[in-house]
Amino acid sequence: MKLWDKGFTINDKIEKFTVGKDRELDAHLAKYDALASKAQANMLAKTGLITNKENEDLQVALDEILELIEENDFNIDDNYEDIHSKIEAYLIEKTGDAGKKIHVARSRNDQVLVAIQLFEKEYLKQTTEKILTLIKIFLAKAEEFKNHLLPGYTHFQAAMPSSFGLWFSAYAESLLNDLYFFEAAYKITDQNPLGSGAGFGTSFPIDRLQTTQELGFSEILVSSVSAQILRGKTEKSVATALAMIAGTLSKMSYDLVIYNSQDLGFVKLPNEMTTGSSIMPHKKNPDVFELTRAHCNRIQALPNDIMLTINNLPSGYHRDFQILKEILFEPMMQFDNIIDILTFAIPQLQIKNDYIEQEKYNPIYTVENINDAIKNGTPFRDAYKEVGLSVENGTYIPHKEFVTSHIGSIHNLRLDLIESKVEKFKLESSVLK
């Protein structure tokens, strides 16, 4: 069944090419198409375009579909072009003419749009909650290991003292900053395009405010043309949000890969979290973080991939948009898996505490030597030269006794301030309402 069927057939090769992966990918949209169809039927009944009895029959059939979807028993076979045609065929089979009427004042364009909006809106909500859990884990780790000093690196060279308290809290705060992009993407998805039809509205007296309220959207996307322009904008905004988080997690994963190496040895992974070599029996590889890094790097390319797919298109619907599901849906699911595996793995990291006493790390205290000289009256430039010369001529003795006091430093992490920012986000975020 095809929603655009006018009684003639299409070449099999053309059909296979144009359908693409829709049957597979539309499984993500099935629930949301059914929910939007329930709102559509209720609205049609209210405006008198179908009878109350027809609406009752449609609601029962759509609830059956939702139950089948919940049980993973609502499949799209080759007889149907996509999930939308499969649902309509089911409604016609169960309700007769009522099923044929549900598409009144609706185009497949706004039908697809509203399903995507609902799907990505719920995805952002669920993923935001998962990331907040990961942030909580990082903050707990920061508190637990706040006294574990860590060499801080610039240019891949040991530079100054840092700590695992600073390291964990840094990624907690960075992830929180990334969540503001989730907030922006959510605002894009939280608008109702249903009723815009093919992009030019309808002459039927539909009630778009009713469907907006029933589907839980905060706002209506007012202009019918604007609704069509939304296609691609929604996907790109979601992809950008994912890319921001992915950038942070890729950097974190790279840190852990090198921190786990024998040369640094700052952390240790439990045996059950590592893989081995087929030839070198001593190897314990941090594959989980290497794969996280690779997946996250690919996710960072998503906004550009989407932009190149839809760039320079005029207003209105174009079949190019179909490809966006192929570009975005699988990485969305992969991103979800990444958050889940990190939520499992990070609490099991074993932090070592003896590495900092190695002689090779003595130079990271040079700035503290300079600071100590400044406190005793030596000008900065003179102290800088004196300490630098001592390192070169081998007379340098590290000044390891130091205390930082400013907010966000080794001995004053102020995790409570980061936690307050997290709570403020939770309180003010439209994603979590």
Side-chain angles (χ1 to χ4, degrees), residues 267-397:
V267 303
K268 183 178 184 297
L269 302 181
N271 289 340
E272 59 271 21
M273 283 179 58
T274 63
T275 62
S277 163
S278 64
I279 190 172
M280 298 168 284
H282 69 284
K283 293 292 292 299
K284 295 179 180 178
N285 301 323
D287 287 5
V288 63
F289 295 112
E290 292 175 341
L291 288 172
T292 295
R293 181 176 60 193
H295 284 306
C296 285
N297 287 342
R298 289 186 65 194
I299 288 170
Q300 289 181 81
L302 285 178
N304 192 54
D305 200 351
I306 290 173
M307 180 182 68
L308 291 175
T309 303
I310 63 175
N311 198 32
N312 296 328
L313 291 178
S315 61
Y317 177 77
H318 312 278
R319 195 65 179 265
D320 309 55
F321 294 130
Q322 176 181 324
I323 307 301
L324 298 182
K325 289 188 285 187
E326 296 183 23
I327 295 173
L328 185 58
F329 284 9
E330 183 178 347
M332 286 171 66
M333 300 306 110
Q334 182 63 59
F335 181 84
D336 219 33
N337 292 335
I338 290 169
I339 302 300
D340 288 342
I341 199 66
L342 290 178
T343 300
F344 169 77
I346 295 299
Q348 300 187 62
L349 278 177
Q350 299 172 9
I351 309 299
K352 297 182 180 180
N353 57 13
D354 54 351
Y355 49 80
I356 198 71
E357 298 304 325
Q358 297 177 71
E359 184 178 351
K360 66 180 180 180
Y361 292 128
N362 283 346
I364 69 174
Y365 299 97
T366 55
V367 173
E368 296 307 325
N369 285 74
I370 293 172
N371 291 349
D372 187 57
I374 290 172
K375 292 174 185 176
N376 290 318
T378 305
F380 170 79
R381 285 299 168 200
D382 293 341
Y384 179 92
K385 290 180 181 179
E386 290 172 6
V387 174
L389 286 173
S390 70
V391 173
E392 292 298 322
N393 62 30
T395 61
Y396 168 71
I397 298 174

Side-chain angles (χ1 to χ4, degrees), residues 47-185:
T47 55
L49 293 170
I50 63 174
T51 67
N52 289 332
K53 176 62 169 64
E54 287 173 326
N55 183 35
E56 290 171 7
D57 292 343
L58 287 170
Q59 296 299 328
V60 170
L62 286 164
D63 285 337
E64 290 174 1
I65 290 174
L66 286 168
E67 186 174 340
L68 290 170
I69 293 169
E70 183 68 25
E71 297 170 353
N72 293 318
D73 197 24
F74 194 74
N75 302 312
I76 312 170
D77 56 51
D78 292 346
N79 293 321
Y80 304 97
E81 189 177 24
D82 52 28
I83 189 61
H84 317 294
S85 55
K86 172 63 183 286
I87 287 177
E88 186 166 316
Y90 186 96
L91 294 178
I92 292 172
E93 179 184 348
K94 292 290 184 176
T95 69
D97 285 348
K100 297 178 181 179
K101 294 180 180 180
I102 195 169
H103 207 59
V104 170
R106 183 174 71 173
S107 165
R108 186 164 61 170
N109 290 4
D110 62 336
Q111 184 177 1
V112 172
L113 271 170
V114 71
I116 289 175
Q117 293 289 100
L118 289 170
F119 164 58
E120 296 188 350
K121 178 183 172 184
E122 184 167 317
Y123 174 87
L124 289 170
K125 178 178 175 63
Q126 293 175 349
T127 307
T128 294
E129 291 170 345
K130 287 186 176 186
I131 294 168
L132 286 170
T133 298
L134 189 58
I135 289 173
K136 183 177 180 180
I137 290 171
F138 276 116
L139 288 173
K141 283 286 189 181
E143 175 63 31
E144 182 180 359
F145 296 105
K146 62 185 179 183
N147 295 321
H148 282 59
L149 288 184
L150 172 73
Y153 282 77
T154 64
H155 305 277
F156 267 111
Q157 299 185 68
M160 288 181 65
S162 181
S163 72
F164 268 106
L166 269 180
W167 187 86
F168 279 116
S169 64
Y171 280 109
E173 193 168 24
S174 185
L175 287 173
L176 180 60
N177 282 333
D178 296 333
L179 279 181
Y180 296 130
F181 287 86
F182 269 62
E183 184 76 13

Side-chain angles (χ1 to χ4, degrees), residues 35-36 39 114 118 121 192 194 210-217:
L35 291 172
V114 71
L118 289 170
K121 178 183 172 184
N192 180 25
L194 187 59
Q210 178 184 336
T211 58
T212 298
Q213 182 176 13
E214 182 172 341
L215 291 171
F217 287 109

